[in-house]
Amino acid sequence: MLNEETFVAFGFILFVGLLAYLGVHKKLNAALDHRADRIKAELAEAERLRAEAEAVLASFGKRLADAEAEAAAVVAQAHAEADRLAKEAADRLQEFIQRRTKQAQDKIATAESQATAEVRAAAADAATRAAGLVLKDQAKGPFGEQLIQKGIADLKGLFH
């Protein structure tokens, strides 16, 4: 009856009884409960941090979308401004070309009228000289007297 297995069984029961008497099972439960509470707190903290990270991510996503929309608006405004400036520059260039063309046409017309006036004046001067030479030779004697009398009469007719 008292063999080694009995002593081991008796020692084991004594050991378990001593552990129960000292309340080790309560301390183990308390330690395990404390660890479970700490793990629950860490899980809650992790969940809170996860929710906070999702909120920050959503906030950054919204900021990114806003920034992209603002960048698109700036690009669209820049394109519109560039188109407006290009049209304005084209209008100014067209206006400048028209003004320069008109100035050139006016200068040409002025030059033409001056040239025409100079040609007429030269022609009149040449005709007057030629007539003077012809009349100088032919206006001698009674024919010359007759021409002078006729010219004076014509002048009197013009002034009256």
Short mmCIF file of all heavy atoms in Angstrom, two decimals, residues 74-86:
data_model
loop_
_atom_site.label_atom_id
_atom_site.label_comp_id
_atom_site.label_asym_id
_atom_site.label_seq_id
_atom_site.Cartn_x
_atom_site.Cartn_y
_atom_site.Cartn_z
N VAL A 74 -7.85 76.22 -60.62
CA VAL A 74 -6.75 77.13 -60.96
C VAL A 74 -6.30 76.90 -62.39
O VAL A 74 -6.06 77.85 -63.15
CB VAL A 74 -5.58 76.96 -59.96
CG1 VAL A 74 -4.33 77.64 -60.45
CG2 VAL A 74 -5.98 77.50 -58.59
N VAL A 75 -6.19 75.63 -62.78
CA VAL A 75 -5.78 75.31 -64.15
C VAL A 75 -6.82 75.82 -65.14
O VAL A 75 -6.48 76.41 -66.17
CB VAL A 75 -5.55 73.78 -64.30
CG1 VAL A 75 -5.43 73.38 -65.75
CG2 VAL A 75 -4.31 73.37 -63.53
N ALA A 76 -8.09 75.61 -64.83
CA ALA A 76 -9.16 76.09 -65.72
C ALA A 76 -9.13 77.61 -65.82
O ALA A 76 -9.26 78.18 -66.92
CB ALA A 76 -10.52 75.63 -65.22
N GLN A 77 -8.92 78.28 -64.68
CA GLN A 77 -8.84 79.74 -64.69
C GLN A 77 -7.62 80.20 -65.48
O GLN A 77 -7.70 81.17 -66.23
CB GLN A 77 -8.78 80.26 -63.25
CG GLN A 77 -8.77 81.77 -63.17
CD GLN A 77 -8.72 82.26 -61.72
OE1 GLN A 77 -8.64 81.47 -60.79
NE2 GLN A 77 -8.76 83.56 -61.55
N ALA A 78 -6.51 79.50 -65.33
CA ALA A 78 -5.30 79.87 -66.07
C ALA A 78 -5.52 79.69 -67.57
O ALA A 78 -5.09 80.54 -68.37
CB ALA A 78 -4.12 79.02 -65.60
N HIS A 79 -6.20 78.60 -67.95
CA HIS A 79 -6.51 78.40 -69.38
C HIS A 79 -7.42 79.51 -69.90
O HIS A 79 -7.20 80.04 -70.99
CB HIS A 79 -7.17 77.03 -69.60
CG HIS A 79 -6.22 75.89 -69.62
ND1 HIS A 79 -5.27 75.73 -70.59
CD2 HIS A 79 -6.06 74.84 -68.76
CE1 HIS A 79 -4.58 74.64 -70.34
NE2 HIS A 79 -5.03 74.09 -69.23
N ALA A 80 -8.43 79.85 -69.11
CA ALA A 80 -9.35 80.92 -69.52
C ALA A 80 -8.61 82.24 -69.65
O ALA A 80 -8.81 82.99 -70.61
CB ALA A 80 -10.51 81.04 -68.53
N GLU A 81 -7.73 82.53 -68.68
CA GLU A 81 -6.96 83.77 -68.71
C GLU A 81 -6.01 83.79 -69.91
O GLU A 81 -5.87 84.80 -70.59
CB GLU A 81 -6.16 83.92 -67.41
CG GLU A 81 -5.39 85.19 -67.28
CD GLU A 81 -6.26 86.42 -67.07
OE1 GLU A 81 -7.45 86.28 -66.72
OE2 GLU A 81 -5.75 87.52 -67.28
N ALA A 82 -5.39 82.65 -70.18
CA ALA A 82 -4.49 82.56 -71.34
C ALA A 82 -5.26 82.75 -72.64
O ALA A 82 -4.80 83.46 -73.55
CB ALA A 82 -3.76 81.21 -71.34
N ASP A 83 -6.44 82.14 -72.73
CA ASP A 83 -7.27 82.32 -73.93
C ASP A 83 -7.68 83.77 -74.09
O ASP A 83 -7.65 84.33 -75.19
CB ASP A 83 -8.52 81.43 -73.86
CG ASP A 83 -8.19 79.95 -73.99
OD1 ASP A 83 -7.08 79.63 -74.46
OD2 ASP A 83 -9.05 79.12 -73.64
N ARG A 84 -8.07 84.40 -72.97
CA ARG A 84 -8.48 85.80 -73.02
C ARG A 84 -7.31 86.69 -73.45
O ARG A 84 -7.46 87.57 -74.29
CB ARG A 84 -9.00 86.25 -71.66
CG ARG A 84 -9.57 87.68 -71.65
CD ARG A 84 -9.92 88.15 -70.25
NE ARG A 84 -8.78 88.27 -69.38
CZ ARG A 84 -7.91 89.28 -69.39
NH1 ARG A 84 -8.05 90.26 -70.23
NH2 ARG A 84 -6.91 89.29 -68.54
N LEU A 85 -6.13 86.43 -72.87
CA LEU A 85 -4.95 87.23 -73.23
C LEU A 85 -4.56 87.02 -74.69
O LEU A 85 -4.18 87.97 -75.38
CB LEU A 85 -3.79 86.88 -72.30
CG LEU A 85 -3.91 87.38 -70.86
CD1 LEU A 85 -2.75 86.88 -70.02
CD2 LEU A 85 -4.00 88.89 -70.80
N ALA A 86 -4.67 85.78 -75.17
CA ALA A 86 -4.34 85.50 -76.57
C ALA A 86 -5.32 86.22 -77.49
O ALA A 86 -4.91 86.81 -78.50
CB ALA A 86 -4.37 83.99 -76.82
#
